[in-house]
């Protein structure tokens, strides 16, 4: 008796094409930074602005005074840059410190270019 013959059928594989990546993600992505901006107004006392800047942003009297006077003269001044969460928390806390005293003191945030 002859051995059973094996028949091999070839099934065509679907063609998979992959596009090579052109952009390579850096190994260590650095977080986007956000500016905290101090806005001038006509009512908040200068000394109070300085006190809030020192308390919330750990600035010296001199640094805080320079930032306050820049906002006073030019309308706005960048206080510092942080990660998004930290920038938003500090801006909110500093704005609330003014609100608690009835002042319209305002800090905002905006992403860095
Ligand atoms: N312009 C305010 C005043 O003359 C002082 C001030 C400075 C208020 C900066 C807010 O972001 C500010 N009393």
């Amino acid at each position: 008796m002859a051995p059973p013959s094996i028949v091999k059928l070839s099934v065509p594989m679907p063609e998979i094409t992959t596009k090579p990546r052109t952009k390579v993600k850096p190994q260590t992505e650095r977080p986007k930074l956000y500016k905290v901006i101090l806005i001038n107004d006509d009512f908040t006392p200068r000394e109070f602005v300085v006190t809030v800047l020192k308390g919330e942003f750990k600035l010296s009297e001199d640094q805080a005074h320079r930032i306050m006077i820049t906002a006073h003269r030019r309308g706005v001044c960048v206080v510092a840059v942080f990660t998004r969460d930290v920038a938003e928390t500090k801006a909110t806390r500093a704005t609330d410190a003014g609100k608690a005293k009835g002042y319209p003191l305002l800090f905002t945030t905006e992403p860095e270019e």
Side-chain angles (χ1 to χ4, degrees):
M1 174 88 78
S5 57
I6 296 165
V7 177
K8 281 190 179 163
L9 296 171
S10 89
V11 178
M13 290 287 286
E15 265 186 41
I16 298 165
T17 55
T18 55
K19 191 165 148 269
R21 269 202 303 171
T22 48
K23 252 192 194 162
V24 175
K25 203 176 178 188
Q27 280 298 329
T28 51
E29 193 89 60
R30 59 194 168 82
K32 189 170 182 168
L33 295 178
Y34 285 70
K35 297 180 276 195
V36 173
I37 298 161
L38 170 64
I39 314 291
N40 184 43
D41 68 72
D42 292 339
F43 305 100
T44 310
R46 292 179 182 206
E47 207 33 60
F48 182 76
V49 180
V50 172
T51 302
V52 170
L53 286 169
K54 290 201 292 183
E56 191 57 50
F57 299 94
K58 302 181 182 113
L59 300 173
S60 68
E61 175 78 25
D62 185 62
Q63 290 172 318
H65 191 267
R66 284 168 191 275
I67 289 168
M68 179 279 295
I69 216 71
T70 301
H72 176 74
R73 289 179 182 153
R74 302 172 70 105
V76 294
C77 184
V78 174
V79 179
V81 296
F82 303 98
T83 54
R84 187 176 176 174
D85 268 18
V86 175
E88 284 173 357
T89 301
K90 286 183 181 290
T92 301
R93 284 173 50 103
T95 299
D96 286 351
K99 233 181 243 167
K101 293 266 186 180
Y103 299 135
L105 182 63
L106 179 62
F107 291 81
T108 62
T109 63
E110 86 175 38
E112 271 204 329
E113 316 74 48

PDB file of all heavy atoms in Angstrom, residues 7-35:
ATOM      1  N   VAL A   7      -0.579  17.001   0.309  1.00  0.00           N
ATOM      2  CA  VAL A   7      -0.756  18.080  -0.681  1.00  0.00           C
ATOM      3  C   VAL A   7      -0.632  19.406   0.071  1.00  0.00           C
ATOM      4  O   VAL A   7      -1.342  19.655   1.046  1.00  0.00           O
ATOM      5  CB  VAL A   7      -2.132  17.982  -1.364  1.00  0.00           C
ATOM      6  CG1 VAL A   7      -2.326  19.142  -2.333  1.00  0.00           C
ATOM      7  CG2 VAL A   7      -2.259  16.652  -2.068  1.00  0.00           C
ATOM      8  N   LYS A   8       0.297  20.197  -0.321  1.00  0.00           N
ATOM      9  CA  LYS A   8       0.459  21.517   0.334  1.00  0.00           C
ATOM     10  C   LYS A   8      -0.241  22.575  -0.502  1.00  0.00           C
ATOM     11  O   LYS A   8       0.003  22.705  -1.690  1.00  0.00           O
ATOM     12  CB  LYS A   8       1.940  21.862   0.476  1.00  0.00           C
ATOM     13  CG  LYS A   8       2.590  21.159   1.648  1.00  0.00           C
ATOM     14  CD  LYS A   8       3.983  21.721   1.875  1.00  0.00           C
ATOM     15  CE  LYS A   8       4.628  21.038   3.073  1.00  0.00           C
ATOM     16  NZ  LYS A   8       6.074  21.249   3.069  1.00  0.00           N
ATOM     17  N   LEU A   9      -1.137  23.283   0.183  1.00  0.00           N
ATOM     18  CA  LEU A   9      -1.820  24.379  -0.506  1.00  0.00           C
ATOM     19  C   LEU A   9      -1.195  25.696  -0.040  1.00  0.00           C
ATOM     20  O   LEU A   9      -0.960  25.891   1.145  1.00  0.00           O
ATOM     21  CB  LEU A   9      -3.317  24.389  -0.156  1.00  0.00           C
ATOM     22  CG  LEU A   9      -4.124  23.173  -0.603  1.00  0.00           C
ATOM     23  CD1 LEU A   9      -5.509  23.226   0.000  1.00  0.00           C
ATOM     24  CD2 LEU A   9      -4.204  23.137  -2.117  1.00  0.00           C
ATOM     25  N   SER A  10      -0.908  26.567  -0.969  1.00  0.00           N
ATOM     26  CA  SER A  10      -0.371  27.842  -0.511  1.00  0.00           C
ATOM     27  C   SER A  10      -1.481  28.882  -0.515  1.00  0.00           C
ATOM     28  O   SER A  10      -2.181  29.084  -1.492  1.00  0.00           O
ATOM     29  CB  SER A  10       0.810  28.279  -1.381  1.00  0.00           C
ATOM     30  OG  SER A  10       0.367  29.033  -2.461  1.00  0.00           O
ATOM     31  N   VAL A  11      -1.708  29.481   0.700  1.00  0.00           N
ATOM     32  CA  VAL A  11      -2.746  30.507   0.880  1.00  0.00           C
ATOM     33  C   VAL A  11      -2.069  31.871   0.837  1.00  0.00           C
ATOM     34  O   VAL A  11      -1.140  32.119   1.605  1.00  0.00           O
ATOM     35  CB  VAL A  11      -3.470  30.304   2.234  1.00  0.00           C
ATOM     36  CG1 VAL A  11      -4.522  31.384   2.457  1.00  0.00           C
ATOM     37  CG2 VAL A  11      -4.079  28.922   2.304  1.00  0.00           C
ATOM     38  N   PRO A  12      -2.478  32.748  -0.037  1.00  0.00           N
ATOM     39  CA  PRO A  12      -1.813  34.065  -0.091  1.00  0.00           C
ATOM     40  C   PRO A  12      -2.096  34.887   1.171  1.00  0.00           C
ATOM     41  O   PRO A  12      -3.225  34.930   1.642  1.00  0.00           O
ATOM     42  CB  PRO A  12      -2.407  34.732  -1.330  1.00  0.00           C
ATOM     43  CG  PRO A  12      -3.700  34.024  -1.564  1.00  0.00           C
ATOM     44  CD  PRO A  12      -3.559  32.632  -1.020  1.00  0.00           C
ATOM     45  N   MET A  13      -1.047  35.457   1.739  1.00  0.00           N
ATOM     46  CA  MET A  13      -1.186  36.292   2.941  1.00  0.00           C
ATOM     47  C   MET A  13      -1.617  37.695   2.503  1.00  0.00           C
ATOM     48  O   MET A  13      -1.145  38.189   1.485  1.00  0.00           O
ATOM     49  CB  MET A  13       0.174  36.407   3.659  1.00  0.00           C
ATOM     50  CG  MET A  13       0.614  35.112   4.303  1.00  0.00           C
ATOM     51  SD  MET A  13      -0.363  34.751   5.778  1.00  0.00           S
ATOM     52  CE  MET A  13       0.333  35.939   6.903  1.00  0.00           C
ATOM     53  N   PRO A  14      -2.527  38.306   3.305  1.00  0.00           N
ATOM     54  CA  PRO A  14      -2.861  39.691   2.949  1.00  0.00           C
ATOM     55  C   PRO A  14      -1.634  40.586   3.150  1.00  0.00           C
ATOM     56  O   PRO A  14      -0.840  40.349   4.063  1.00  0.00           O
ATOM     57  CB  PRO A  14      -3.969  40.063   3.942  1.00  0.00           C
ATOM     58  CG  PRO A  14      -3.820  39.108   5.068  1.00  0.00           C
ATOM     59  CD  PRO A  14      -3.181  37.869   4.520  1.00  0.00           C
ATOM     60  N   GLU A  15      -1.488  41.520   2.305  1.00  0.00           N
ATOM     61  CA  GLU A  15      -0.295  42.382   2.420  1.00  0.00           C
ATOM     62  C   GLU A  15      -0.514  43.491   3.444  1.00  0.00           C
ATOM     63  O   GLU A  15      -1.513  44.212   3.394  1.00  0.00           O
ATOM     64  CB  GLU A  15       0.035  42.991   1.066  1.00  0.00           C
ATOM     65  CG  GLU A  15       1.069  42.155   0.346  1.00  0.00           C
ATOM     66  CD  GLU A  15       1.560  42.782  -0.943  1.00  0.00           C
ATOM     67  OE1 GLU A  15       1.779  44.005  -0.945  1.00  0.00           O
ATOM     68  OE2 GLU A  15       1.718  42.022  -1.910  1.00  0.00           O
ATOM     69  N   ILE A  16       0.390  43.599   4.378  1.00  0.00           N
ATOM     70  CA  ILE A  16       0.299  44.646   5.398  1.00  0.00           C
ATOM     71  C   ILE A  16       1.431  45.628   5.128  1.00  0.00           C
ATOM     72  O   ILE A  16       2.594  45.245   5.095  1.00  0.00           O
ATOM     73  CB  ILE A  16       0.411  44.070   6.830  1.00  0.00           C
ATOM     74  CG1 ILE A  16      -0.759  43.092   7.083  1.00  0.00           C
ATOM     75  CG2 ILE A  16       0.433  45.188   7.857  1.00  0.00           C
ATOM     76  CD1 ILE A  16      -0.565  42.204   8.281  1.00  0.00           C
ATOM     77  N   THR A  17       1.055  46.812   4.900  1.00  0.00           N
ATOM     78  CA  THR A  17       2.099  47.819   4.685  1.00  0.00           C
ATOM     79  C   THR A  17       2.111  48.773   5.867  1.00  0.00           C
ATOM     80  O   THR A  17       1.064  49.170   6.376  1.00  0.00           O
ATOM     81  CB  THR A  17       1.859  48.630   3.395  1.00  0.00           C
ATOM     82  OG1 THR A  17       0.554  49.186   3.471  1.00  0.00           O
ATOM     83  CG2 THR A  17       1.978  47.753   2.164  1.00  0.00           C
ATOM     84  N   THR A  18       3.280  49.061   6.337  1.00  0.00           N
ATOM     85  CA  THR A  18       3.394  50.016   7.446  1.00  0.00           C
ATOM     86  C   THR A  18       4.203  51.211   6.982  1.00  0.00           C
ATOM     87  O   THR A  18       5.185  51.057   6.265  1.00  0.00           O
ATOM     88  CB  THR A  18       4.077  49.384   8.667  1.00  0.00           C
ATOM     89  OG1 THR A  18       5.341  48.854   8.251  1.00  0.00           O
ATOM     90  CG2 THR A  18       3.227  48.290   9.289  1.00  0.00           C
ATOM     91  N   LYS A  19       3.729  52.374   7.434  1.00  0.00           N
ATOM     92  CA  LYS A  19       4.408  53.615   7.060  1.00  0.00           C
ATOM     93  C   LYS A  19       5.450  53.924   8.144  1.00  0.00           C
ATOM     94  O   LYS A  19       5.126  53.918   9.331  1.00  0.00           O
ATOM     95  CB  LYS A  19       3.352  54.723   7.018  1.00  0.00           C
ATOM     96  CG  LYS A  19       3.798  56.021   6.412  1.00  0.00           C
ATOM     97  CD  LYS A  19       2.574  56.905   6.085  1.00  0.00           C
ATOM     98  CE  LYS A  19       2.886  58.366   6.228  1.00  0.00           C
ATOM     99  NZ  LYS A  19       2.602  58.886   7.577  1.00  0.00           N
ATOM    100  N   PRO A  20       6.679  54.175   7.757  1.00  0.00           N
ATOM    101  CA  PRO A  20       7.672  54.494   8.788  1.00  0.00           C
ATOM    102  C   PRO A  20       7.343  55.814   9.473  1.00  0.00           C
ATOM    103  O   PRO A  20       6.803  56.729   8.855  1.00  0.00           O
ATOM    104  CB  PRO A  20       8.980  54.601   8.008  1.00  0.00           C
ATOM    105  CG  PRO A  20       8.592  54.811   6.602  1.00  0.00           C
ATOM    106  CD  PRO A  20       7.238  54.205   6.404  1.00  0.00           C
ATOM    107  N   ARG A  21       7.615  55.867  10.777  1.00  0.00           N
ATOM    108  CA  ARG A  21       7.368  57.101  11.515  1.00  0.00           C
ATOM    109  C   ARG A  21       8.381  58.154  11.092  1.00  0.00           C
ATOM    110  O   ARG A  21       9.572  57.878  10.979  1.00  0.00           O
ATOM    111  CB  ARG A  21       7.524  56.847  13.023  1.00  0.00           C
ATOM    112  CG  ARG A  21       6.229  56.449  13.693  1.00  0.00           C
ATOM    113  CD  ARG A  21       6.280  56.723  15.167  1.00  0.00           C
ATOM    114  NE  ARG A  21       7.399  56.035  15.802  1.00  0.00           N
ATOM    115  CZ  ARG A  21       7.747  56.259  17.068  1.00  0.00           C
ATOM    116  NH1 ARG A  21       7.094  57.130  17.792  1.00  0.00           N
ATOM    117  NH2 ARG A  21       8.763  55.609  17.599  1.00  0.00           N
ATOM    118  N   THR A  22       7.898  59.330  10.877  1.00  0.00           N
ATOM    119  CA  THR A  22       8.829  60.405  10.518  1.00  0.00           C
ATOM    120  C   THR A  22       9.175  61.241  11.751  1.00  0.00           C
ATOM    121  O   THR A  22      10.281  61.728  11.884  1.00  0.00           O
ATOM    122  CB  THR A  22       8.244  61.312   9.424  1.00  0.00           C
ATOM    123  OG1 THR A  22       6.916  61.670   9.794  1.00  0.00           O
ATOM    124  CG2 THR A  22       8.214  60.589   8.092  1.00  0.00           C
ATOM    125  N   LYS A  23       8.173  61.372  12.664  1.00  0.00           N
ATOM    126  CA  LYS A  23       8.428  62.143  13.890  1.00  0.00           C
ATOM    127  C   LYS A  23       8.724  61.165  15.021  1.00  0.00           C
ATOM    128  O   LYS A  23       7.946  60.247  15.263  1.00  0.00           O
ATOM    129  CB  LYS A  23       7.199  62.971  14.249  1.00  0.00           C
ATOM    130  CG  LYS A  23       7.394  64.449  14.003  1.00  0.00           C
ATOM    131  CD  LYS A  23       6.286  65.257  14.641  1.00  0.00           C
ATOM    132  CE  LYS A  23       6.277  66.693  14.115  1.00  0.00           C
ATOM    133  NZ  LYS A  23       5.015  67.348  14.365  1.00  0.00           N
ATOM    134  N   VAL A  24       9.820  61.366  15.702  1.00  0.00           N
ATOM    135  CA  VAL A  24      10.156  60.505  16.840  1.00  0.00           C
ATOM    136  C   VAL A  24       9.925  61.297  18.119  1.00  0.00           C
ATOM    137  O   VAL A  24      10.407  62.418  18.261  1.00  0.00           O
ATOM    138  CB  VAL A  24      11.622  60.025  16.756  1.00  0.00           C
ATOM    139  CG1 VAL A  24      11.986  59.233  17.991  1.00  0.00           C
ATOM    140  CG2 VAL A  24      11.826  59.198  15.499  1.00  0.00           C
ATOM    141  N   LYS A  25       9.127  60.720  19.022  1.00  0.00           N
ATOM    142  CA  LYS A  25       8.818  61.369  20.297  1.00  0.00           C
ATOM    143  C   LYS A  25      10.068  61.361  21.177  1.00  0.00           C
ATOM    144  O   LYS A  25      10.691  60.305  21.331  1.00  0.00           O
ATOM    145  CB  LYS A  25       7.693  60.592  20.974  1.00  0.00           C
ATOM    146  CG  LYS A  25       6.904  61.397  21.977  1.00  0.00           C
ATOM    147  CD  LYS A  25       5.761  60.549  22.495  1.00  0.00           C
ATOM    148  CE  LYS A  25       4.945  61.282  23.537  1.00  0.00           C
ATOM    149  NZ  LYS A  25       3.971  60.398  24.167  1.00  0.00           N
ATOM    150  N   PRO A  26      10.439  62.491  21.740  1.00  0.00           N
ATOM    151  CA  PRO A  26      11.613  62.482  22.621  1.00  0.00           C
ATOM    152  C   PRO A  26      11.390  61.536  23.812  1.00  0.00           C
ATOM    153  O   PRO A  26      10.271  61.405  24.286  1.00  0.00           O
ATOM    154  CB  PRO A  26      11.721  63.919  23.104  1.00  0.00           C
ATOM    155  CG  PRO A  26      10.873  64.729  22.196  1.00  0.00           C
ATOM    156  CD  PRO A  26       9.834  63.818  21.625  1.00  0.00           C
ATOM    157  N   GLN A  27      12.453  60.910  24.241  1.00  0.00           N
ATOM    158  CA  GLN A  27      12.373  59.980  25.377  1.00  0.00           C
ATOM    159  C   GLN A  27      11.763  60.649  26.614  1.00  0.00           C
ATOM    160  O   GLN A  27      10.890  60.095  27.251  1.00  0.00           O
ATOM    161  CB  GLN A  27      13.774  59.463  25.737  1.00  0.00           C
ATOM    162  CG  GLN A  27      14.261  58.350  24.835  1.00  0.00           C
ATOM    163  CD  GLN A  27      13.376  57.115  24.905  1.00  0.00           C
ATOM    164  OE1 GLN A  27      12.777  56.822  25.934  1.00  0.00           O
ATOM    165  NE2 GLN A  27      13.278  56.401  23.809  1.00  0.00           N
ATOM    166  N   THR A  28      12.265  61.824  26.926  1.00  0.00           N
ATOM    167  CA  THR A  28      11.754  62.534  28.100  1.00  0.00           C
ATOM    168  C   THR A  28      11.043  63.803  27.629  1.00  0.00           C
ATOM    169  O   THR A  28      11.677  64.772  27.261  1.00  0.00           O
ATOM    170  CB  THR A  28      12.888  62.910  29.072  1.00  0.00           C
ATOM    171  OG1 THR A  28      13.908  63.578  28.315  1.00  0.00           O
ATOM    172  CG2 THR A  28      13.478  61.683  29.738  1.00  0.00           C
ATOM    173  N   GLU A  29       9.724  63.746  27.615  1.00  0.00           N
ATOM    174  CA  GLU A  29       8.898  64.880  27.188  1.00  0.00           C
ATOM    175  C   GLU A  29       8.918  65.915  28.311  1.00  0.00           C
ATOM    176  O   GLU A  29       8.655  65.590  29.456  1.00  0.00           O
ATOM    177  CB  GLU A  29       7.479  64.371  26.970  1.00  0.00           C
ATOM    178  CG  GLU A  29       6.586  65.345  26.246  1.00  0.00           C
ATOM    179  CD  GLU A  29       6.651  65.179  24.736  1.00  0.00           C
ATOM    180  OE1 GLU A  29       6.324  64.095  24.252  1.00  0.00           O
ATOM    181  OE2 GLU A  29       7.034  66.150  24.066  1.00  0.00           O
ATOM    182  N   ARG A  30       9.235  67.165  27.979  1.00  0.00           N
ATOM    183  CA  ARG A  30       9.199  68.177  29.051  1.00  0.00           C
ATOM    184  C   ARG A  30       7.822  68.831  29.068  1.00  0.00           C
ATOM    185  O   ARG A  30       7.235  69.101  28.020  1.00  0.00           O
ATOM    186  CB  ARG A  30      10.326  69.185  28.916  1.00  0.00           C
ATOM    187  CG  ARG A  30      10.359  69.947  27.638  1.00  0.00           C
ATOM    188  CD  ARG A  30      11.694  70.673  27.463  1.00  0.00           C
ATOM    189  NE  ARG A  30      11.808  71.172  26.117  1.00  0.00           N
ATOM    190  CZ  ARG A  30      11.261  72.304  25.697  1.00  0.00           C
ATOM    191  NH1 ARG A  30      10.579  73.056  26.527  1.00  0.00           N
ATOM    192  NH2 ARG A  30      11.385  72.688  24.443  1.00  0.00           N
ATOM    193  N   PRO A  31       7.284  69.044  30.277  1.00  0.00           N
ATOM    194  CA  PRO A  31       5.921  69.570  30.381  1.00  0.00           C
ATOM    195  C   PRO A  31       5.829  70.996  29.851  1.00  0.00           C
ATOM    196  O   PRO A  31       6.781  71.772  29.970  1.00  0.00           O
ATOM    197  CB  PRO A  31       5.629  69.519  31.877  1.00  0.00           C
ATOM    198  CG  PRO A  31       6.961  69.544  32.528  1.00  0.00           C
ATOM    199  CD  PRO A  31       7.905  68.851  31.594  1.00  0.00           C
ATOM    200  N   LYS A  32       4.703  71.308  29.274  1.00  0.00           N
ATOM    201  CA  LYS A  32       4.440  72.658  28.788  1.00  0.00           C
ATOM    202  C   LYS A  32       4.380  73.594  29.997  1.00  0.00           C
ATOM    203  O   LYS A  32       3.855  73.219  31.041  1.00  0.00           O
ATOM    204  CB  LYS A  32       3.089  72.629  28.078  1.00  0.00           C
ATOM    205  CG  LYS A  32       2.756  73.875  27.337  1.00  0.00           C
ATOM    206  CD  LYS A  32       1.532  73.627  26.480  1.00  0.00           C
ATOM    207  CE  LYS A  32       1.200  74.873  25.685  1.00  0.00           C
ATOM    208  NZ  LYS A  32       0.207  74.580  24.657  1.00  0.00           N
ATOM    209  N   LEU A  33       4.896  74.806  29.851  1.00  0.00           N
ATOM    210  CA  LEU A  33       4.894  75.740  30.976  1.00  0.00           C
ATOM    211  C   LEU A  33       3.868  76.853  30.765  1.00  0.00           C
ATOM    212  O   LEU A  33       3.579  77.231  29.633  1.00  0.00           O
ATOM    213  CB  LEU A  33       6.288  76.331  31.179  1.00  0.00           C
ATOM    214  CG  LEU A  33       7.353  75.314  31.604  1.00  0.00           C
ATOM    215  CD1 LEU A  33       8.716  75.978  31.723  1.00  0.00           C
ATOM    216  CD2 LEU A  33       6.980  74.635  32.916  1.00  0.00           C
ATOM    217  N   TYR A  34       3.357  77.330  31.901  1.00  0.00           N
ATOM    218  CA  TYR A  34       2.327  78.380  31.888  1.00  0.00           C
ATOM    219  C   TYR A  34       2.797  79.587  32.679  1.00  0.00           C
ATOM    220  O   TYR A  34       3.324  79.446  33.779  1.00  0.00           O
ATOM    221  CB  TYR A  34       1.018  77.833  32.481  1.00  0.00           C
ATOM    222  CG  TYR A  34       0.301  76.916  31.522  1.00  0.00           C
ATOM    223  CD1 TYR A  34       0.828  75.660  31.216  1.00  0.00           C
ATOM    224  CD2 TYR A  34      -0.856  77.323  30.891  1.00  0.00           C
ATOM    225  CE1 TYR A  34       0.201  74.837  30.304  1.00  0.00           C
ATOM    226  CE2 TYR A  34      -1.496  76.490  29.980  1.00  0.00           C
ATOM    227  CZ  TYR A  34      -0.962  75.257  29.685  1.00  0.00           C
ATOM    228  OH  TYR A  34      -1.586  74.449  28.776  1.00  0.00           O
ATOM    229  N   LYS A  35       2.570  80.774  32.104  1.00  0.00           N
ATOM    230  CA  LYS A  35       2.931  82.021  32.777  1.00  0.00           C
ATOM    231  C   LYS A  35       1.804  82.417  33.727  1.00  0.00           C
ATOM    232  O   LYS A  35       0.631  82.273  33.376  1.00  0.00           O
ATOM    233  CB  LYS A  35       3.081  83.144  31.744  1.00  0.00           C
ATOM    234  CG  LYS A  35       4.191  82.919  30.759  1.00  0.00           C
ATOM    235  CD  LYS A  35       4.290  84.053  29.770  1.00  0.00           C
ATOM    236  CE  LYS A  35       3.334  83.888  28.629  1.00  0.00           C
ATOM    237  NZ  LYS A  35       3.607  84.766  27.471  1.00  0.00           N
TER     238      LYS A  35
END
